Amino acid sequence: MWDVVHRLGSPRTFYTIAGRWQPWLWALAALLLGTGSVWALLFAPADYQQGDSFRILYVHVPAAILAQSCFVLMAVAGAIFLVWRIKLADMVATVIAPFGAAMTGVALFSGSVWGVPTWGTWWVWDARLTSMLIQLFLYLGVIALRGAFASRDGGARAASLLTLVGVINIPIIKYSVDWWNTLHQPATFTLTQRPAMPAEMWLPLAVMVLGFYAYFVALTLTRTRSEILRREGRKRWVLELGS
């Protein structure tokens, strides 16, 4: 077991395996996002109350789910780096942070646009919105903290610790609509209940969520390979790639 973990944790092994999976994941992401977008925009019925404005859901929900997933994955990678000193984990955390921040920004912006026809305002200090804004600040803090140290290892340790502390915000985001009286609607997808919306509306949403995840994995593999080349540029195996 540990031999497999350490082999997969090797930058050289990861670089090779990721290179094989990369094209397939990009193709899958393009297929899912293309299919989901056409289905959501052209074939899903309009909401009986919100009309066509509800279609923002097909970007807002996947972005919000992925933003939280990215932070959890960063926390796992940070813990692995702190405990086992596997430098590939820190590389993965490094490339995830900007993407997670971008997804949080997309979720906040799309939610604000959706809030105008739904709530009559761009922003309210709702528990869900506020906790998501805190998550954006946590992402930006992790990125800034990583670059604030002269030593790469020092920045990596500090960023990992902040991520582990900040991950407590994820359950707050998830359960805020249950713990407090908020304007934000409950979760669209749960493991215990069927979606409240009809199948012709939630099926394209499920395709979009899968497409966002496929895009995230493909982009993470691509950017991690670039990060490996940047950090391991003087290693013999990297030099042999260019020969």
Side-chain angles (χ1 to χ4, degrees), residues 195-210:
M197 64 179 68
E200 57 266 26
M201 296 172 76
W202 69 258
L203 282 174
L205 177 58
V207 173
M208 287 295 289
V209 170
L210 292 175

Side-chain angles (χ1 to χ4, degrees), residues 44-55 196-198 201:
D47 184 77
Y48 77 100
Q49 286 183 320
Q50 301 179 45
D52 285 323
S53 67
F54 100 99
R55 298 184 195 278
M197 64 179 68
M201 296 172 76

Side-chain angles (χ1 to χ4, degrees), residues 72-109:
V72 172
L73 184 56
M74 277 175 51
V76 172
I80 291 172
F81 174 74
L82 290 173
V83 176
W84 289 289
R85 310 297 297 169
I86 297 177
K87 57 185 177 181
L88 179 63
D90 180 59
M91 296 182 193
V92 171
T94 300
V95 303
I96 288 175
F99 180 80
M103 286 297 100
T104 307
V106 169
L108 287 169
F109 177 74

Side-chain angles (χ1 to χ4, degrees), residues 236-243:
R236 181 177 177 181
W237 71 269
V238 176
L239 296 173
E240 289 175 351
L241 291 174
S243 61

Side-chain angles (χ1 to χ4, degrees), residues 157-202:
R157 285 194 296 271
S160 297
L161 288 171
L162 178 58
T163 305
L164 289 172
V165 173
V167 79
I168 192 65
N169 190 51
I170 298 301
I172 295 175
I173 294 172
K174 180 174 176 56
Y175 295 109
S176 58
V177 294
D178 301 317
W179 293 343
W180 295 285
N181 183 23
T182 70
L183 289 173
H184 199 284
Q185 68 184 45
T188 304
F189 292 124
T190 66
L191 297 177
T192 57
Q193 296 178 341
R194 289 173 60 98
M197 64 179 68
E200 57 266 26
M201 296 172 76
W202 69 258

